[in-house]
Amino acid sequence: MYVLGMESSCDETSAAVVEYKDGVFEIRSNIVASQIETHRLYGGVVPEIASRAHIEAVTSITTQALETAGITLSELDCIAATTHPGLIGALLVGVNFAKSLAYGNNIPLVSVNHIHGHVSAAYLADKELKPPFLALVVSGGHTSIYVCESYGVLREIGTTRDDAAGEAFDKIGRVIGLPYPGGAALDKLAYEGDSKAVKLPSPALQHTLDFSFSGIKTSALNYINSCSQRGEEINRANLAASYTKTIVDGIVKQTRAAIEETGLGQLVLAGGVAANSHLRQALARMCDDKKVRFTVPPRELCGDNGAMIAAAGVFEYLDGRLADTSLNASASDEM
Ligand code: KG4
Ligand code: ZN
């Protein structure tokens, strides 16, 4: 079967065609229009601008996705759109576009949860992957550990009580003058510094699998402020290295505990922050130690993209959860 996946929850407009045959996925196209350059001017995503940019891009991105795949609308078995969570105005662009395309061409429509999409990117990368497994989703809006019990079914066993890891990276990146989004720039800068130079609190909470990133963010800001009050120049590389190491160690600690608690022998890392090289390496080492199979999608499938939404859409379709023209979007985790 062929599924068109549409993603517009934040600052990427994406459409992709994914083929699913005999239990194996193949990406036929995955076109992503990023708005990062536009939002960089403001140091973060401006929701109103994001919605307008999605409107401008959605038609040509979808046309390109179909053309690159060599698939016509009449050959599609289903259209899958991200409906939640995300920026409501941004989501509505993709959802309404998908609804019109589905209705006008008589194609079945399904709703996809963005987090399920991120986890489903792992099926595109790893043909052997089957539930149950542990999924760690680390993105700009989420930091959570789930048990993926079966295709499309995630049970949360740990989550952040405040900010997400991506937000924490972006915030400090911005304060030390790195271009938005700070995550990727901090990742590189961290290789140039001493990770023991700045003492910061762990984001891993005790006696639970939950996280809190507000403490480490505040500590890093206090460090920056006290340096500037003393007239000292901040060693940005040392801060990047210490901040990254403390966050990565905290995430690895909770993930190791989740593996021990559930006894699961497979871990999936997903979400935009899964592109972080320090996190990928540290989790790979820990999984090696614990003899746990580790899957992380290639970087281009970690950030927001339509292919991951199409993959998640396949399971919605096969489970018969079809949507109709009353389909709406929601900013929150639940519809
Ligand atoms: O999944 P995503 O594309 O959007 C959301 O659903 O939130 O994640 C975006 C987040 C941003 O916070 C960005 O800074 C972060 O992923 N990110 C990284 C890296 N590449 C992207 N964070 C750390 N290291 C990276 N290499
Ligand atoms: Zn995302």
Short mmCIF file of all heavy atoms in Angstrom, two decimals, residues 277-300:
data_model
loop_
_atom_site.label_atom_id
_atom_site.label_comp_id
_atom_site.label_asym_id
_atom_site.label_seq_id
_atom_site.Cartn_x
_atom_site.Cartn_y
_atom_site.Cartn_z
N SER A 277 24.81 13.82 18.70
CA SER A 277 25.81 12.76 18.57
C SER A 277 26.26 12.21 19.92
O SER A 277 26.51 11.02 20.05
CB SER A 277 27.01 13.28 17.79
OG SER A 277 27.60 14.36 18.48
N HIS A 278 26.31 13.07 20.94
CA HIS A 278 26.73 12.62 22.28
C HIS A 278 25.70 11.65 22.85
O HIS A 278 26.04 10.63 23.45
CB HIS A 278 26.91 13.81 23.22
CG HIS A 278 27.81 14.87 22.68
ND1 HIS A 278 29.16 14.89 22.90
CD2 HIS A 278 27.55 15.93 21.86
CE1 HIS A 278 29.70 15.94 22.27
NE2 HIS A 278 28.73 16.57 21.63
N LEU A 279 24.42 11.98 22.65
CA LEU A 279 23.34 11.14 23.17
C LEU A 279 23.31 9.80 22.43
O LEU A 279 23.16 8.73 23.05
CB LEU A 279 21.99 11.87 23.01
CG LEU A 279 20.77 11.14 23.54
CD1 LEU A 279 20.88 10.90 25.05
CD2 LEU A 279 19.49 11.92 23.23
N ARG A 280 23.48 9.83 21.13
CA ARG A 280 23.48 8.59 20.33
C ARG A 280 24.61 7.67 20.80
O ARG A 280 24.40 6.46 21.02
CB ARG A 280 23.67 8.91 18.84
CG ARG A 280 22.50 9.64 18.23
CD ARG A 280 22.87 10.25 16.89
NE ARG A 280 22.70 9.33 15.78
CZ ARG A 280 21.66 9.29 14.97
NH1 ARG A 280 20.65 10.12 15.16
NH2 ARG A 280 21.58 8.45 13.97
N GLN A 281 25.81 8.25 20.98
CA GLN A 281 26.96 7.43 21.39
C GLN A 281 26.78 6.86 22.79
O GLN A 281 27.05 5.68 23.04
CB GLN A 281 28.24 8.27 21.36
CG GLN A 281 28.73 8.60 19.95
CD GLN A 281 29.68 9.80 19.94
OE1 GLN A 281 30.29 10.14 20.95
NE2 GLN A 281 29.79 10.46 18.80
N ALA A 282 26.31 7.71 23.72
CA ALA A 282 26.17 7.27 25.11
C ALA A 282 25.11 6.17 25.23
O ALA A 282 25.31 5.19 25.97
CB ALA A 282 25.82 8.46 26.00
N LEU A 283 24.01 6.32 24.52
CA LEU A 283 22.96 5.30 24.59
C LEU A 283 23.42 4.00 23.91
O LEU A 283 23.12 2.91 24.39
CB LEU A 283 21.66 5.81 23.95
CG LEU A 283 20.86 6.81 24.79
CD1 LEU A 283 19.76 7.43 23.96
CD2 LEU A 283 20.26 6.14 26.03
N ALA A 284 24.17 4.14 22.83
CA ALA A 284 24.67 2.94 22.14
C ALA A 284 25.60 2.17 23.07
O ALA A 284 25.53 0.93 23.16
CB ALA A 284 25.40 3.34 20.86
N ARG A 285 26.46 2.89 23.81
CA ARG A 285 27.38 2.23 24.77
C ARG A 285 26.61 1.53 25.88
O ARG A 285 26.89 0.39 26.22
CB ARG A 285 28.32 3.28 25.40
CG ARG A 285 29.63 3.49 24.63
CD ARG A 285 30.67 4.15 25.52
NE ARG A 285 30.19 5.40 26.10
CZ ARG A 285 30.25 6.59 25.48
NH1 ARG A 285 30.75 6.68 24.26
NH2 ARG A 285 29.80 7.68 26.07
N MET A 286 25.61 2.24 26.42
CA MET A 286 24.83 1.66 27.52
C MET A 286 24.09 0.40 27.04
O MET A 286 24.05 -0.61 27.73
CB MET A 286 23.86 2.72 28.06
CG MET A 286 23.06 2.32 29.27
SD MET A 286 21.51 1.57 28.85
CE MET A 286 20.58 2.99 28.31
N CYS A 287 23.53 0.46 25.84
CA CYS A 287 22.79 -0.69 25.30
C CYS A 287 23.74 -1.86 25.05
O CYS A 287 23.39 -3.02 25.27
CB CYS A 287 22.07 -0.31 24.01
SG CYS A 287 20.62 0.68 24.33
N ASP A 288 24.93 -1.55 24.61
CA ASP A 288 25.95 -2.56 24.39
C ASP A 288 26.25 -3.29 25.69
O ASP A 288 26.28 -4.52 25.76
CB ASP A 288 27.21 -1.84 23.90
CG ASP A 288 27.96 -2.66 22.88
OD1 ASP A 288 27.27 -3.37 22.13
OD2 ASP A 288 29.21 -2.60 22.88
N ASP A 289 26.44 -2.50 26.73
CA ASP A 289 26.69 -3.01 28.09
C ASP A 289 25.60 -3.94 28.57
O ASP A 289 25.84 -4.96 29.18
CB ASP A 289 26.64 -1.81 29.05
CG ASP A 289 27.97 -1.43 29.55
OD1 ASP A 289 28.95 -1.72 28.85
OD2 ASP A 289 28.01 -0.81 30.65
N LYS A 290 24.37 -3.52 28.30
CA LYS A 290 23.19 -4.23 28.82
C LYS A 290 22.71 -5.30 27.84
O LYS A 290 21.67 -5.92 28.08
CB LYS A 290 22.05 -3.24 29.08
CG LYS A 290 22.35 -2.25 30.17
CD LYS A 290 21.19 -2.17 31.13
CE LYS A 290 21.56 -1.97 32.56
NZ LYS A 290 21.60 -3.05 33.45
N LYS A 291 23.41 -5.46 26.72
CA LYS A 291 23.01 -6.42 25.68
C LYS A 291 21.59 -6.15 25.19
O LYS A 291 20.76 -7.05 25.02
CB LYS A 291 23.10 -7.88 26.19
CG LYS A 291 24.43 -8.25 26.82
CD LYS A 291 25.42 -8.72 25.78
CE LYS A 291 26.79 -9.04 26.32
NZ LYS A 291 27.58 -7.89 26.78
N VAL A 292 21.32 -4.86 25.01
CA VAL A 292 20.00 -4.43 24.51
C VAL A 292 20.18 -3.97 23.07
O VAL A 292 21.15 -3.28 22.75
CB VAL A 292 19.45 -3.29 25.40
CG1 VAL A 292 18.33 -2.53 24.72
CG2 VAL A 292 18.97 -3.84 26.73
N ARG A 293 19.27 -4.39 22.19
CA ARG A 293 19.33 -3.98 20.80
C ARG A 293 18.95 -2.50 20.72
O ARG A 293 17.99 -2.08 21.37
CB ARG A 293 18.34 -4.84 20.00
CG ARG A 293 18.63 -4.92 18.53
CD ARG A 293 17.73 -5.99 17.90
NE ARG A 293 17.81 -5.88 16.45
CZ ARG A 293 17.06 -5.08 15.73
NH1 ARG A 293 16.14 -4.33 16.28
NH2 ARG A 293 17.22 -5.03 14.41
N PHE A 294 19.68 -1.72 19.94
CA PHE A 294 19.47 -0.27 19.90
C PHE A 294 19.18 0.19 18.48
O PHE A 294 19.93 -0.11 17.55
CB PHE A 294 20.73 0.42 20.44
CG PHE A 294 20.66 1.92 20.47
CD1 PHE A 294 19.56 2.58 21.02
CD2 PHE A 294 21.70 2.69 19.97
CE1 PHE A 294 19.50 3.97 21.06
CE2 PHE A 294 21.66 4.08 20.01
CZ PHE A 294 20.55 4.72 20.56
N THR A 295 18.09 0.93 18.32
CA THR A 295 17.75 1.47 17.00
C THR A 295 17.60 2.98 17.09
O THR A 295 16.86 3.48 17.94
CB THR A 295 16.39 0.89 16.50
OG1 THR A 295 16.50 -0.53 16.46
CG2 THR A 295 16.04 1.42 15.12
N VAL A 296 18.32 3.68 16.24
CA VAL A 296 18.11 5.12 16.13
C VAL A 296 18.06 5.46 14.64
O VAL A 296 18.93 5.03 13.87
CB VAL A 296 19.18 5.92 16.91
CG1 VAL A 296 20.59 5.59 16.52
CG2 VAL A 296 18.94 7.42 16.78
N PRO A 297 17.02 6.17 14.22
CA PRO A 297 16.90 6.50 12.79
C PRO A 297 18.05 7.41 12.34
O PRO A 297 18.64 8.11 13.17
CB PRO A 297 15.57 7.24 12.70
CG PRO A 297 14.85 6.95 13.97
CD PRO A 297 15.88 6.69 15.00
N PRO A 298 18.35 7.42 11.05
CA PRO A 298 19.34 8.39 10.56
C PRO A 298 18.85 9.80 10.85
O PRO A 298 17.64 10.02 11.02
CB PRO A 298 19.39 8.12 9.05
CG PRO A 298 18.13 7.40 8.74
CD PRO A 298 17.74 6.65 9.97
N ARG A 299 19.80 10.75 10.91
CA ARG A 299 19.45 12.12 11.35
C ARG A 299 18.28 12.71 10.58
O ARG A 299 17.44 13.40 11.15
CB ARG A 299 20.67 13.03 11.22
CG ARG A 299 21.62 12.86 12.36
CD ARG A 299 22.69 13.92 12.36
NE ARG A 299 23.51 13.79 13.55
CZ ARG A 299 24.40 12.82 13.73
NH1 ARG A 299 24.59 11.92 12.80
NH2 ARG A 299 25.08 12.74 14.85
N GLU A 300 18.20 12.47 9.26
CA GLU A 300 17.14 13.11 8.48
C GLU A 300 15.75 12.58 8.85
O GLU A 300 14.74 13.20 8.54
CB GLU A 300 17.41 12.99 6.97
CG GLU A 300 17.38 11.60 6.39
CD GLU A 300 18.72 10.86 6.49
OE1 GLU A 300 19.58 11.31 7.28
OE2 GLU A 300 18.89 9.85 5.79
#
